[in-house]
Amino acid sequence: MIERTTETEITFTHPFRLEALTEPLGAGTYRLVVDEELIEGLSFTAYRRVATHLEIPAISIAVARRQFLQVSSAEIDEALALDGASADVSRRVVP
């Protein structure tokens, strides 16, 4: 089976929560690692996501060790959407 790994950086402008953690993670840029495997037997190239990991803490925080937290892509998408929605709300507030 052919596998590939894609690393991207995602940025949260506000602290956010994930189900696997008891405390919220701080705002910042995080590395998201997605592992996929090739779906064989098709007439075109397609991959299936098999794992998604978030590297914590944020990239800007200097630490000796980093952890990879397994997350669902839906949970990350929801956290990013909530982060964007809260940014929109704060922009709408008139002093």
Side-chain angles (χ1 to χ4, degrees):
M1 182 103 5
I2 298 173
E3 295 181 359
R4 71 178 182 183
T5 299
T6 306
E7 293 183 5
T8 57
E9 293 179 357
I10 56 175
T11 301
F12 291 92
T13 56
H14 301 89
F16 64 102
R17 292 188 172 276
L18 296 175
E19 289 180 24
L21 301 173
T22 57
E23 297 292 322
L25 293 170
T29 300
Y30 292 80
R31 184 169 292 115
L32 188 67
V33 180
V34 177
D35 296 323
E36 300 170 307
E37 64 184 13
L38 181 67
I39 300 172
E40 296 182 32
L42 301 176
S43 60
F44 55 91
T45 303
Y47 287 85
R48 167 184 26 248
R49 185 177 297 206
V50 293
T52 304
H53 295 90
L54 185 68
E55 184 179 320
I56 55 177
I59 294 170
S60 62
I61 298 174
V63 293
R65 283 197 226 179
R66 295 193 171 273
Q67 296 179 16
F68 285 90
L69 177 66
Q70 187 163 357
V71 295
S72 72
S73 58
E75 184 176 21
I76 292 296
D77 291 343
E78 181 180 345
L80 285 167
L82 288 171
D83 186 61
S86 61
D88 289 343
V89 168
S90 65
R91 279 187 280 234
R92 283 188 237 142
V93 174
V94 178

